[in-house]
Amino acid sequence: MSALILALIAGAVVGVALGALGGGGSVLAVPALIYLLGFTPAAATTASLIIVTATSLTALYAHARTGNVRWKAGALFAAAGLLPAAAAGSAASRLPQPVLTAAFAAVAALAAVTMLRSGRAAVRPAVGEARPAKAAGTGAGLGALTGLLGVGGGFLAVPALVTVLAFEMQAAVGTSLLVISANALSSLATRGATTAGVDWAVIGPFTGAAILGAWDGKRLAAKVSGTLLQRAFAVALLAVAAFMLVDALT
């Protein structure tokens, strides 16, 4: 199968995940770029940030049109992650590739477990009881993950917005896309030199398919149970994490 077709298929899957779940797509983008399209781990994380930025902004626009974005709270949450994202993005190029792969596998497994747990009924704080310090700490952690591994952090942002800031699920999904976009742009700013080596003949179609998939994902989320979507995605993600961890250790 040609690289173009693989890029289109992988991009569509990433876009649907981002549009439907508000996160998780980038956790699939990196392994797809490495194992299907032949990118090195370092190049894959940079390319993933490009894809995530474009797709998240598209999905953010779709959710904003339906009023699912809490701009003020989302901006404050994202602001805490900007500096960590930039610092981690600068450090990522200095890490050995097996270390990056193993770290990414661990984060992918964490994402799967988080999604499985958030599918259950969550006990949320009453409005007004959210702790700003905890929200800032969570935002900083998401920023660091984005910069280091090229993931948007939406798989952690959505449950964090629900449990820490008492958002409804639809608002958490829409607002998480604002956080993802801000973190990804901040990290890309520190990787300007490395983007010169990105294969745009692959990344262009991948990103285009992801953008179209984001719109489909938004429509899918309105028709299918969010819990069902999360569980199916989490099972696939666990398999990807296991494969990457074995590859990193052999």
Side-chain angles (χ1 to χ4, degrees):
M1 192 178 294
S2 71
L4 175 60
I5 294 175
L6 288 173
L8 290 172
I9 294 173
V13 172
V14 167
V16 167
L18 272 170
L21 302 175
S26 54
V27 187
L28 287 181
V30 171
L33 290 165
I34 294 173
Y35 298 109
L36 295 181
L37 298 169
F39 282 57
T40 65
T45 57
T46 299
S48 174
L49 286 169
I50 297 171
I51 295 163
V52 167
T53 299
T55 310
S56 296
L57 288 172
T58 302
L60 174 63
Y61 173 72
H63 281 271
R65 290 182 63 189
T66 55
N68 289 332
V69 180
R70 306 279 182 84
W71 294 99
K72 184 177 180 179
L76 291 173
F77 195 87
L82 294 181
L83 288 178
S90 178
S93 61
R94 301 182 179 90
L95 292 177
Q97 292 189 14
V99 173
L100 275 177
T101 302
F104 192 92
V107 170
L110 174 62
V113 171
T114 301
M115 286 184 169
L116 286 172
R117 293 184 62 186
S118 64
R120 305 170 187 171
V123 178
R124 295 182 297 167
V127 175
E129 291 184 4
R131 298 178 180 177
K134 187 175 181 181
T138 305
L142 293 175
L145 277 178
T146 299
L148 187 64
L149 301 177
V151 299
F155 60 89
L156 293 176
V158 171
L161 289 169
V162 169
T163 58
V164 178
L165 298 184
F167 280 20
E168 296 295 333
M169 181 57 71
Q170 287 290 345
V173 169
T175 307
S176 76
L177 292 164
L178 174 61
V179 178
I180 292 168
S181 301
N183 286 342
L185 283 169
S186 177
S187 182
L188 270 177
T190 66
R191 297 188 184 214
T194 61
T195 57
V198 170
D199 187 352
W200 291 103
V202 173
I203 298 306
F206 196 121
T207 304
I211 289 172
L212 293 176
W215 287 95
D216 290 332
K218 175 66 171 62
R219 288 191 288 267
L220 180 64
K223 298 178 180 179
V224 181
S225 163
T227 299
L228 178 62
L229 285 173
Q230 284 190 351
R231 287 177 178 171
F233 185 82
V235 170
L237 204 53
L238 279 175
V240 170
F243 177 82
M244 294 186 75
L245 186 58
V246 170
D247 180 64
L249 297 177
T250 55

